[in-house]
Amino acid sequence: MTTVSMTVNGKAVSGDVEDRTLLVDFIRVNLGLTGTHVGCDTSQCGACVVHVDGKAIKACTMLAVRAEGSEITTIEGLAKDGELHPMQAAFKENHGLQCGFCTPGMIMAATEFVERYKVSGIELDEAAIRKELEGNICRCTGYHNIVRSIEDAASKM
Amino acid sequence: MNEGIGARVLRKEDKRFITGEGRYTDDIVQPNQRYASFVRSPYAHAKIKKINKSAAEGMVGVEAVFDGKQLTGDGIGNIICGWMIHSKDGSPMNMGVWSALATETVRYVGDAVAVVVADTAANAKAAAEAVEVDYEELPSVIKPDAALEKSAPQIHDNAKNNLIFDWEIGEEKATDDAIKGAAHVVELDVTNNRLAPNAIEPRSAIAVYSKAEDHYTLYTTSQNPHVARLVLSAFYQVAPEHKLRVVAPDVGGGFGSKIYIYPEEIVCLWASMKTNCSIKWTAERSESFLTDAHGRDHVSNIKIGFDKNHKIVGLKVDTIANLGAYMSLFSSCVPTYLYATLLSGQYDIANIHCNVRTVYTNTTPVDAYRGAGRPEACYLVERAMETAARQLGTSPAELRRKNFVGSFPHQTPVIMNYDVGDFAANLDAAIKAADYGGFETRRAEAAKVGKLRGIGMSSYIEACGIAPSAAVGSLGAGVGLWESAEVRVNPVGTVEILTGSHSHGQGHETTFAQLVCDRFGLPADNVQVVHGDTDKVQFGMGTYGSRSGAVGMSAIAQALDKVEIKAKKIGAHMLEVKESDIVIEDGEVKVPGSNKVLGWHEVCLNAYTAHNLPEGMEPGLKEGSFYDPANFTFPAGTYICEVEVDPETGHTDIVQFVASDDFGTIVNPMIVEGQVHGGIAQGIGQALLEEVVYDDNGQLLTGSYMDYAMPRADDLPSYQVSHESTPCPSNPLGIKGCGEAGAIGSPPALINAITDAIGNNDLSMPATPAKVWAAIQAAGTKQAAE
Ligand code: FES
Ligand code: FES
C-alpha cells in the first residue's frame, strides 16, 4: 500500500492504494466519484476520460500512484458554481446522449480538444471533431448528435 | 410552452448524466459487499474431470469458492428458453441442459464453471485464476452448417446432429410451383454476420441477501426487471417471487443483450445467501464479448421469382441459424416468428415459404440483438430486390414500387397482417432527399478523381410492439406481452407514472411525461416517471422489440383515460355542472366559455381530502392499466445510401445516408431521430466493420475493442432523417415504434451501394477494405475475361 495525494475537483484528497490500482479505480472506489466510467479493459472506449493537469487522460491507463501531486478534474467537477459547462449544456440541448454511459468521457474529451484547437487557431470542423473522437466509443447515438453538441459548444466556449 | 405529443422536449433525465450523477449498477455500493469473479472454460468443448479449489480458497481476501455441483445440489434450476418452437414434424425443440455453473461439460469458451467471492475485485480475480480445473478436451464445431454434418461432434445429448428444430412457414409446394413458372428467378446465398451487442456499460449485478428477512435484492443491468424476477423465481428457484426484489437502475444501453437472465445473476444471488454477504460482479469487456448473447449468425439461400412484368410470384428461403452452445431466453423466436414472418417485406407476394434449421455450436449463445430476426429478413429481401433490378435491367426504385403492397389491411402468406402504411410516400421522400435522379452526374464526377461511387436503397418493414398475448402464446411464447402502467396523481396535482417499460437510453422519463402534458396541460417538470424497480412498479414486461411506445405508452394512455374520467366527475360535482361539459386543459378543469374554472390541483386536493366528492365515490386519484395490444405494429420506410470507394485501398466512404421512416405518431421527434441515428450506426457497423470471429477451435478472436471493429465517429456520416407517417390504427396513440428500424433498414442499403459502386454483387458483410478490394479485383478480372 502506498499513500497518494492529489487535488480532485479542487479538493485535496489522499488515500492508500496498491501499486496496481488504476487511477480510475481510485476515483470510483476510493473517492466514490462514479461519474467516471469503465467500459473496456483495453483503453479503447474513453468512458473513463478525466483531466490530469489540464490534459484529457484515460484514467484506466494510468496508475493511481502516477497521479501523485496532480490536479484532476472529473465530470463531477466540470460545472462551476452550479452553472453547467457549455459542453454539458450543449450535450443536453442537442440530444448528444442516450444511455449516458459514454457521456462523461465524451464531455471530458471534447472540452479538452475544443480548448486545444482554440489555442492552436486551427479550425475545428466536423471532420476534425470526428477524428478527435477516435478514442471515445458510443453505441447509442451514432455520433450524429454528439458531433452537433460539440460544434454547438465550440461556438460558445 | 407546448410539451405535449409531437414536441421536441429536452430530456429530463439528462442533467444527472451530464454531471456524472447517473447511478448505474456498478456505482452502487452495499454494506458488507464482496466481489465475485468467475472461473471460465478456456476450451470450446470439454469434460470437467476435476475442480481443485483449495489453492484459491487459501488466498488473501477469499471468502468462498463455489462450483456447479454445489449450485445444482442446492436445487438451483437450469437456464431455459422461454419460447417453445415445434419442428415441422410436430416434435418439440431440443433444449439442452444449461446450468449456471457447468457441472459435467463445458460447451463454449467462457462457460462458467466456478465462482470466487473475495473482499476486492482484484483478489477475487487472482483467486479465480488459482482454481485448478482438470479438463478433457472434446472435439468442437463452430460453423452452423458444419454442425449439422453427421460427423460433427455432438454438443447436447438430446439434440441429434446438433439440430434444435427444423421449422417451416408458408406453403412449400405452391411456392416451388410459382418459382418454377417464373419468367426470371434471382437466387442469392447470404451470410448474416455474427455480432456482439456491446452496450458500453458492461453487465453488472449486486446481490443482497437479508438473512433476517430471508429476502433477496438484485441490482442488475436489465431491460426487464420484472421478467428477471419471474424467471429467477419460477424457473431457477433462486428465491420465491415475493422474497425477491429486482432493481434495474440507470442502465447503459441494452440492444437486447440485457433482456436475458444470465448465469452470473443467478450465481451472485445464490452465493449471497451462501456467504451472507452482498456480492457484486461487473463484467470486464472481455467477459462481455465472451458471454453477452451475440446476435444474427444466419446462413441462407433466397430465391425470388418474377413474372415477365417484373411482379414477384414467389419467394423461398432456406436458413440455418446458429444459436450457439445453449438456448438463451428468446433464442428460438428470433430466427422464426421475428424473422420469417417479415419475409414478405413491403411487397405483395402470393407465395412464400421459409425453412429454418437452428443448430447448436460451441460458441456463445445467440439471441435477440437490436432488430432480432427482422434485420436478417430485410437483408435477404432487399439484397435480392436490388440484385433483381440489376439483372432485369430496371430501376431498383421502380421494381420496388411496382411490387409494393398498395392497400391495407394486407394479409401476407406468413402470418402478418399489415394494418396501415404508405410505402410509396417513404420511397418518394427518400428519393427526393437523396437527389436520386442526380446520382449519375455525381458518379461521373467521382470517376474523374478515380473514385467508384455507388448508390443503394432498402425499403424495410418490421414488426414491433409484440403483440396480442394470446397470439404470441399460441406461437409458443411462455409469457404475455402486454404492458402495465399506473398513474398516481398526488394531492398537490403533480403526477407519477409507474411503468413496466424500462429506459436504458430511450428517454422515457421525458416522453412518458409528455403524455401527461398532452392530456392535462401540466408542465413536464410536474411529472415523474418511475421504472426499473419491482418493489415500486406493479409489474411489467420491459423494453425490447421497440415496444415501449406502442405498448408501454398505450398502457399509460389507458390509465390516463381512467384518471381523466374520475377527475372530470369530481370537477363536475364541484362546479355543479354536467360531467360531459367539463374539459381539462392548460392545467385547468373547466366548462369552456364560462367562468366555471378550477385549478387542476384543486380537483386533485379534493380527491384526497374527500370533503366534496360525488355520492359513493372512493377518495384518491390513482389508476392502473394493463394494456394488451390488438396487433403487431409495422414501422416501414426507405433508406438510401451513397458511397465512394477508393479502388486502390478498397476503403468505403459513406458520403450520404438518407432515411425516411413511418413510425406512426411521434411523441418526441428529437428522441425518435436519435433512435434512428443510433440504429443506422449499428446497421452500418454490421455492414462495414463488425464481425465476431472464432478460430477453428472455438477461440474467440474478436474478444476486445482491439480486434472487434466498433464503429467510431470518423467511420460514420451525419444522417438525413425524415418521417412520412401513417398513424397505427391498433393502439390508442397511433405509435408504431422506432427503436430498431435503423439497424434493420441500413445494412442492405449500404451493401447495395458498395456493390453498385464496384460492379460486383458478390460481397459479404462486413465489407472490410480487404474484401471490397478483392471484389474489385475479381470484377476487373471478370470484365477482362468477358
Ligand atoms: S475504460 Fe478507459 S478507455 Fe475504456
Ligand atoms: S449514450 Fe449510450 S454509449 Fe453513448
Side-chain angles (χ1 to χ4, degrees), chain B residues 579-594:
Chain B
E579 212 182 301
S580 54
D581 292 339
I582 295 277
V583 164
I584 307 178
E585 62 183 16
D586 302 327
E588 291 174 337
V589 181
K590 62 189 173 195
V591 180
S594 78

Side-chain angles (χ1 to χ4, degrees), chain A residues 10-48:
Chain A
K11 267 213 275 213
V13 297
S14 65
D16 293 337
V17 297
E18 293 183 59
D19 292 348
R20 65 184 173 187
T21 302
L22 299 171
L23 177 60
V24 70
D25 291 325
F26 179 70
I27 291 171
R28 285 182 57 80
V29 180
N30 294 52
L31 304 181
L33 294 171
T34 54
T36 303
H37 296 153
V38 177
C40 74
D41 44 13
T42 53
S43 295
Q44 303 281 305
C45 75
C48 62

Side-chain angles (χ1 to χ4, degrees), chain B residues 697-711:
Chain B
N697 298 315
Q699 296 296 331
L700 182 62
L701 299 180
T702 49
S704 81
Y705 289 150
M706 315 276 275
D707 319 291
Y708 185 90
M710 287 287 279

Side-chain angles (χ1 to χ4, degrees), chain B residues 8 132 134 150 152 244 277 303 375 444 538 541 599 636 688 711 735 781:
Chain B
R8 303 178 80 88
E132 294 163 22
D134 190 6
K150 288 226 156 36
L244 173 61
C277 299
K303 287 192 201 89
Q538 54 293 342
M541 298 312 296
L688 214 51
I735 296 174
T781 318

Side-chain angles (χ1 to χ4, degrees), chain B residues 10-269:
Chain B
L10 296 180
R11 298 206 318 173
K12 287 155 62 72
E13 47 269 82
D14 282 357
K15 178 117 191 252
R16 66 177 188 272
F17 295 127
I18 57 180
T19 53
E21 299 295 325
R23 193 161 182 261
Y24 301 88
T25 302
D26 188 64
D27 301 342
I28 295 168
V29 178
Q30 287 295 319
N32 197 25
Q33 179 177 289
R34 305 287 190 275
Y35 294 82
S37 179
F38 286 82
V39 179
R40 299 185 183 281
S41 169
Y43 296 110
H45 198 191
K47 281 251 162 280
I48 301 169
K49 291 176 71 182
K50 206 168 140 233
I51 300 176
N52 185 349
K53 301 185 289 192
S54 52
E57 280 164 343
M59 285 172 68
V60 269
V62 171
E63 180 88 29
V65 183
F66 298 115
D67 62 29
K69 293 221 161 101
Q70 290 168 283
L71 180 94
T72 51
D74 274 3
I76 302 298
N78 290 322
I79 299 173
I80 52 126
C81 173
W83 195 302
M84 171 53 75
I85 299 287
H86 288 86
S87 284
K88 54 195 178 193
D89 67 5
S91 59
M93 65 191 190
N94 302 313
M95 181 160 56
V97 169
W98 184 6
S99 170
L101 294 174
T103 50
E104 310 278 340
T105 308
V106 287
R107 296 183 173 88
Y108 73 100
V109 174
D111 213 350
V113 292
V115 64
V116 172
V117 178
D119 58 345
T120 67
N123 283 340
K125 193 176 172 183
E129 277 160 23
V131 173
E132 294 163 22
V133 185
D134 190 6
Y135 294 102
E136 178 191 326
E137 201 180 347
L138 298 170
S140 58
V141 61
I142 310 305
K143 292 263 180 272
D145 36 1
L148 285 171
E149 279 168 23
K150 288 226 156 36
S151 57
Q154 180 80 21
I155 298 173
H156 289 278
D157 293 341
N158 62 333
K160 195 158 172 287
N161 294 324
N162 302 311
L163 180 72
I164 301 171
F165 55 77
D166 183 355
W167 174 90
E168 68 175 346
I169 190 169
E171 296 295 329
E172 183 165 30
K173 168 112 182 29
T175 306
D176 283 342
D177 290 348
I179 291 176
K180 217 173 281 160
H184 186 84
V185 178
V186 175
E187 179 167 6
L188 285 177
D189 289 313
V190 175
T191 299
N192 205 291
N193 42 326
R194 178 187 276 241
L195 304 174
N198 273 307
I200 300 300
E201 179 206 21
R203 284 195 295 118
S204 180
I206 309 175
V208 182
Y209 176 66
S210 158
K211 199 170 182 178
E213 306 283 343
D214 191 24
H215 183 278
Y216 296 76
T217 303
L218 176 69
Y219 298 89
T220 182
T221 47
S222 174
Q223 299 177 214
N224 34 229
H226 288 89
V227 176
R229 182 174 72 152
L230 172 67
V231 173
L232 281 163
S233 64
F235 295 99
Y236 308 153
Q237 280 95 42
V238 177
E241 216 169 343
H242 65 299
K243 292 283 188 187
L244 173 61
R245 172 186 178 201
V246 178
V247 183
D250 285 330
V251 173
F255 316 114
S257 67
K258 293 172 181 169
I259 298 172
Y260 325 113
I261 294 82
Y262 289 89
E264 291 83 4
E265 290 120 53
I266 299 169
V267 171
C268 284
L269 279 168

